[in-house]
Amino acid sequence: MKQKTVIIIGGGVIGAFIAYYLLQEGWQVTIVDKGRFGSGSSEGNCGLIVPNHVFPLNSYGNLLKAFKGMLTHDAPLHVKPRLDPGLFQWFIRFALKCGQKDVLFSAQGRHALLQSSWDLYPHIVEREGLDCDWEVGGSLHAHFSEAEWHAYAGEDAAIRKFGVAAEKLDRDQMLRLEPSLDSGLCGGWLYRETAHLRPEKLLDGLQKVLAQKGATILENTEVTGFDASGGNAERVRTSGTVIAADQFVVATGAWAPRLERELGCRIPIQPGKGYSLTYAGAERVTGIPCFFSEKSVVATPWADGYRLGGTMEFAGFDDSLDGRRLAALSRGALQYLKNPSLGAVEKEWCGFRPMTLDGLPVIDRSPRLHNVIVSAGHNMLGLSMGPGSGRLVAEMINRKKPHIDPRPYSLQRFS
């Protein structure tokens, strides 16, 4: 019997986990990436697995921050002023999804993928022997502002309805837990159900596992479209050749909208540029991952250094490093830390997060090409949602009962 074949377009964390689960089902898998496997947002993020991030960014407060941030280059949320009708329309539809009913719907869909991935991760890491600095050590949201520290109780109460709860810590409790923090802080909130890992090591490990299981990985090969017949794709066209398969998956993150016309659907994803600074060989700046809440900066420690990350910039596909935004990361972190020095920077990075207008990813079949599935738009949570998304796509391709309800991720919600 001929082995079933699948082409996964995109070699980030989402494409990697889709390949992982399809290989378990006996598929012959080819991953095609326009760059290097595991690069992009999968590479330079802060490596957090955060089941508590159930609520989307949709709020009128964040909209106000976005418009204020147009005037400040180093604001945590910055929209580069420019004439971009697509971005303007995206923000209009984002605003229409700020109502309580829509936010709760998004939260339910996000929670399902986050919890699924939280349950799957430890088994994958252990079974495959992934050397990725996996650690379940919790995360701390530290506050300078007493008003914001107390106000977070409302957000925690909403998150608790999904079975994820934080512990409120006063200044003394927080400093006993994390003595590296400045004594001027007023308190924090501790989530014990948070894991962190080194994303580059995870992707390196997954690449080796996929290759050992028989996957073919084609790097520096851009897919430009599909050859189709009778409502099904037959081949992908690439920069060098055409490749045939039985099934196809588009897991290209922020670039997914470039295939909209051929897929016959709207994929309203905007690239939200995030930044990070990696400090290698430095003393761990904190013992556990810390969110410096008022500055929208997060610090993730590893055995051989740490990473600062954060900010959101809507500037299209401009991949230039803005020194002002990088400086805002280090400057913001230093306000929370007792140590006045961060050490030497090993790497400066920026990457495009695939931001949907409602905070939910797209995991659905193309309405025009029925053997093509889109799995993109995981916002800032691709790492946290990777295993659950991969398993769900594999179930859809194999026509199996899905382990979570796929309806929240439907393309129809954009029509």
Side-chain angles (χ1 to χ4, degrees):
M1 183 177 178
K2 182 183 176 183
Q3 189 177 19
K4 299 169 292 185
T5 58
V6 60
I7 291 174
I8 299 169
I9 309 167
V13 68
I14 299 300
F17 278 115
I18 293 170
Y20 179 79
Y21 282 102
L22 285 172
L23 286 165
Q24 290 186 353
E25 296 286 343
W27 286 78
Q28 181 180 324
V29 175
T30 299
I31 298 173
V32 184
D33 196 278
K34 68 182 183 64
R36 178 173 51 83
F37 179 91
S39 60
S41 290
S42 296
E43 180 180 42
N45 65 74
C46 281
L48 297 173
I49 316 300
V50 281
N52 62 300
H53 284 209
V54 295
F55 283 98
L57 291 177
N58 296 75
S59 73
Y60 298 114
N62 281 330
L63 270 177
L64 181 61
K65 289 179 183 178
F67 288 112
K68 286 183 176 179
M70 295 181 74
L71 306 175
T72 310
H73 286 284
D74 62 355
L77 178 57
H78 174 64
V79 180
K80 183 178 181 179
R82 64 193 191 280
L83 185 61
D84 185 341
L87 180 62
F88 179 76
Q89 185 182 52
W90 187 93
F91 269 111
I92 292 294
R93 298 185 71 183
F94 177 96
L96 294 174
K97 293 291 184 179
C98 287
Q100 184 177 4
K101 182 178 179 181
D102 288 318
V103 168
L104 182 58
F105 178 81
S106 293
Q108 290 168 339
R110 286 160 65 99
H111 170 66
L113 277 174
L114 288 169
Q115 191 60 51
S116 168
S117 297
W118 176 256
D119 294 337
L120 292 169
Y121 252 120
H123 303 291
I124 297 171
V125 171
E126 181 179 359
R127 180 169 58 243
E128 304 301 342
L130 295 174
D131 180 15
C132 58
D133 296 346
W134 170 267
E135 185 177 344
V136 182
S139 63
L140 178 66
H141 291 244
H143 290 270
F144 254 124
S145 163
E146 187 169 356
E148 290 198 23
W149 175 50
H150 289 303
Y152 191 82
E155 186 170 341
D156 175 61
I159 296 171
R160 281 174 181 264
K161 295 178 181 178
F162 294 91
V164 185
E167 301 170 28
K168 188 177 184 180
L169 306 180
D170 62 25
R171 178 189 292 107
D172 292 339
Q173 291 171 320
M174 183 177 66
L175 293 179
R176 282 196 296 271
L177 172 71
E178 191 51 80
S180 65
L181 296 178
D182 189 272
S183 59
L185 300 174
C186 67
W189 291 82
L190 173 65
Y191 285 95
R192 295 194 181 275
E193 287 191 354
T194 299
H196 63 283
L197 51 77
R198 189 75 180 247
E200 308 98 304
K201 289 187 175 182
L202 173 70
L203 271 296
D204 286 346
L206 284 173
Q207 183 174 14
K208 293 174 184 175
V209 168
L210 298 179
Q212 289 168 359
K213 294 180 183 294
T216 299
I217 299 175
L218 302 178
E219 298 181 315
N220 302 311
T221 304
E222 184 172 5
V223 170
T224 58
F226 296 92
D227 291 334
S229 176
N232 285 307
E234 296 182 339
R235 293 170 295 274
V236 291
R237 300 188 302 273
T238 77
S239 47
T241 185
V242 294
I243 313 170
D246 301 311
Q247 296 284 331
F248 303 83
V249 182
V250 176
T252 53
W255 287 269
R258 295 185 176 184
L259 291 172
E260 279 182 336
R261 183 172 298 179
E262 300 214 16
L263 295 172
C265 57
R266 291 295 312 280
I267 308 175
I269 292 173
Q270 283 289 328
K273 186 160 65 168
Y275 288 79
S276 72
L277 292 167
T278 303
Y279 298 78
E283 186 177 325
R284 286 168 69 124
V285 68
T286 59
I288 63 173
C290 288
F291 291 84
F292 304 136
S293 300
E294 289 84 358
K295 296 299 179 180
S296 299
V297 176
V298 61
T300 303
W302 298 302
D304 59 350
Y306 65 95
R307 179 170 290 163
L308 299 177
T311 81
M312 178 76 72
E313 182 181 19
F314 288 96
F317 285 98
D318 176 6
D319 62 357
S320 62
L321 284 164
D322 188 330
R324 293 166 295 187
R325 300 191 66 75
L326 289 168
L329 292 178
S330 56
R331 187 171 61 247
L334 283 170
Q335 294 180 39
Y336 289 76
L337 297 171
K338 183 168 59 177
N339 190 335
S341 175
L342 294 173
V345 175
E346 179 200 34
K347 183 177 181 180
E348 299 176 340
W349 174 90
C350 68
F352 300 117
R353 305 176 181 118
M355 306 300 295
T356 58
L357 53 87
D358 59 0
L360 284 168
V362 172
I363 306 175
D364 198 5
R365 291 187 180 277
S366 159
R368 178 175 295 167
L369 303 175
H370 308 308
N371 62 338
V372 179
I373 290 178
V374 180
S375 182
H378 290 75
N379 293 261
M380 297 179 288
L381 296 171
L383 197 66
S384 291
M385 293 180 172
S389 296
R391 182 179 173 184
L392 179 58
V393 171
E395 289 163 343
M396 293 168 66
I397 287 178
N398 286 294
R399 305 289 181 176
K400 289 187 174 182
K401 182 179 179 180
H403 74 288
I404 58 174
D405 185 356
R407 288 176 293 182
Y409 323 115
S410 169
L411 280 162
Q412 292 182 2
R413 71 186 197 271
F414 300 129
S415 59

